[in-house]
Amino acid sequence: MSKAMEPDLQTPLGRASGQIAKESGKEWSHPSDNWLRGFVLDNRAALGTLAVFVVMMAVFMIANPTVFTTWYLYSSVLTTLPVALFVVVPLVFVVTCGEIDLSFPATMGFASWVFAIVVQAGYDPFLGIVAALVTGTLLGFLVGSLVVYGGLSSLIATLGMNFLLRGLIQIINEGKSTALTSLADSRAYAIFSSQIFGIPVQIFWAIAFVVFSALLYNRHRFGAQVKVVGDNPDSAKQMGIDVKRVRVKVFVFVGIGAAIAGTFSVMINFTWWPTAGDGYLLPVLASVFVGGTPTWGGIGTVVGGAIGAVTVSFIQTGVVAAGLSGFYVQFFNGLIIILSLLGHKWNQARYR
């Protein structure tokens, strides 16, 4: 072998390849090194959901531009949207963990009932909020314990708890509602449910909750543990993660979110209803999956779930405002859900 053909054993491989790249006039870089491409790859699910929302709103705008260019329509949606966001976001954690929670509607009703009892008794609404949060935390822990330590299926256990808690509410209250007109003059209402320049205050609290949860999901150790447990519980155990504790924590988080949602719903309407939370079961679940969190666990998107909640919230309003009857609402709900899921299937980086 001639000296020209002998390999240079003194030069590191990386340095040699870099030198070759420089000599050729082109410097190699990984596709994700570009910040824009990396951002798109990291947020493909949320961006896909945003694209669906933009197309849907464009269709509604063309169908009835008069309605969709007035602020009143968006103000009405922003008033009730936060209630859904407070439940959708924690459910992303649960689904990522490989579980499901169908008890959150009754948890909303039960925690908001405790809030109503405290306020009706003449105590400060802030004390009622604390009582509701404690109630939601305890109910979340109870549900999580049944699933994790009781070894029950999360689907069946949480569905059973939903019926049990709702039945208990109906038995004690006999279907009667509670009016809380004094809330309108309270400081808690001014802070959590009033308006600033015509914008409902609760949407700012909901955005703060989404940002906090996104950081918890993407930047905190707890979020990483949730993803690992949902992806492979056995590997999580070998890594030293307390799998059972993590699974219980996600149910507790749902309980806290449901308590906040129930409290906001009462402050918006000044009335507590025994059926509080019932109407959120299917829209909230649809928002999670439309947002790009798959059913198999291990991956998910908090921001996508929030955009999914916005999308689902505008479907009913948009269908009616476009001049169609309410009979079309369920049809469009199903259509948007199916199209979103198909788009996410083609767009997801991994499958099971």
Side-chain angles (χ1 to χ4, degrees):
M1 181 182 294
S2 64
K3 187 175 182 180
M5 297 176 62
E6 291 179 359
D8 185 2
L9 300 178
Q10 303 299 321
T11 304
L13 181 59
R15 186 177 176 184
S17 59
Q19 185 176 357
I20 294 174
K22 289 181 179 179
E23 290 176 356
S24 62
K26 296 180 180 179
E27 186 173 353
W28 182 88
S29 63
H30 192 274
S32 62
D33 288 344
N34 182 281
W35 71 269
L36 180 59
R37 182 174 296 182
F39 176 81
V40 172
L41 291 175
D42 293 338
N43 300 276
R44 62 178 68 186
L47 292 174
T49 306
L50 180 61
V52 172
F53 173 72
V54 170
V55 171
M56 183 188 75
M57 292 301 294
V59 172
F60 288 152
M61 188 83 67
I62 295 172
N64 196 336
T66 303
V67 174
F68 280 90
T69 53
T70 58
W71 171 245
Y72 179 77
L73 171 71
Y74 300 96
S75 177
S76 62
V77 172
L78 293 179
T79 300
T80 57
L81 173 62
V83 178
L85 287 175
F86 285 122
V87 187
V88 170
V89 170
L91 274 178
V92 171
F93 285 75
V94 171
V95 176
T96 302
C97 204
E99 306 288 352
I100 191 68
D101 190 348
L102 303 181
S103 65
F104 68 85
T107 302
M108 286 178 60
F110 205 96
S112 60
W113 175 40
V114 172
F115 171 76
I117 291 174
V118 174
V119 174
Q120 190 181 39
Y123 294 101
D124 193 292
F126 285 105
L127 181 60
I129 294 173
V130 173
L133 290 174
V134 172
T135 302
T137 302
L138 293 176
L139 289 177
F141 179 78
L142 175 60
V143 172
S145 297
L146 286 175
V147 174
V148 177
Y149 299 111
L152 302 180
S153 164
S154 61
L155 176 65
I156 305 302
T158 57
L159 184 62
M161 282 297 297
N162 187 53
F163 284 117
L164 189 150
L165 293 176
R166 185 65 64 185
L168 184 60
I169 292 172
Q170 296 285 6
I171 291 171
I172 297 176
N173 292 277
E174 297 181 346
K176 298 177 182 178
S177 61
T178 302
L180 301 170
T181 54
S182 61
L183 278 175
D185 301 322
S186 66
R187 188 177 180 182
Y189 173 79
I191 294 175
F192 295 113
S193 194
S194 59
Q195 290 191 352
I196 297 179
F197 303 111
I199 303 174
V201 171
Q202 54 265 34
I203 191 62
F204 296 111
W205 289 104
I207 292 173
F209 183 75
V210 171
V211 172
F212 165 77
S213 301
L215 293 175
L216 185 66
Y217 188 85
N218 297 308
R219 302 296 181 184
H220 194 268
R221 179 177 58 185
F222 176 64
Q225 291 176 345
V226 168
K227 296 172 189 175
V228 174
V229 170
D231 183 57
N232 194 324
D234 294 331
S235 297
K237 289 180 181 179
Q238 294 176 0
M239 295 170 62
I241 298 174
D242 191 334
V243 174
K244 291 185 177 180
R245 179 177 296 181
V246 171
R247 292 172 64 198
V248 171
K249 282 182 179 179
V250 295
F251 285 102
V252 170
F253 192 28
V254 172
I256 294 173
I260 299 174
T263 303
F264 269 87
S265 69
V266 172
M267 286 195 288
I268 291 171
N269 300 307
F270 302 123
T271 305
W272 174 81
W273 301 92
T275 56
D278 265 355
Y280 285 93
L281 179 60
L282 295 181
V284 164
L285 291 176
S287 301
V288 173
F289 299 121
V290 166
T293 299
T295 56
W296 54 74
I299 54 175
T301 166
V302 169
V303 176
I307 299 174
V310 177
T311 303
V312 173
S313 296
F314 270 100
I315 290 177
Q316 182 173 357
T317 305
V319 168
V320 175
L324 300 174
S325 68
F327 298 112
Y328 286 87
V329 172
Q330 289 188 355
F331 170 79
F332 278 98
N333 273 330
L335 179 64
I336 294 297
I337 291 171
I338 291 174
L339 291 178
S340 298
L341 292 178
L342 286 174
H344 290 315
K345 182 175 181 179
W346 293 332
N347 198 32
Q348 289 288 357
R350 51 176 277 196
Y351 304 93
R352 281 189 184 174

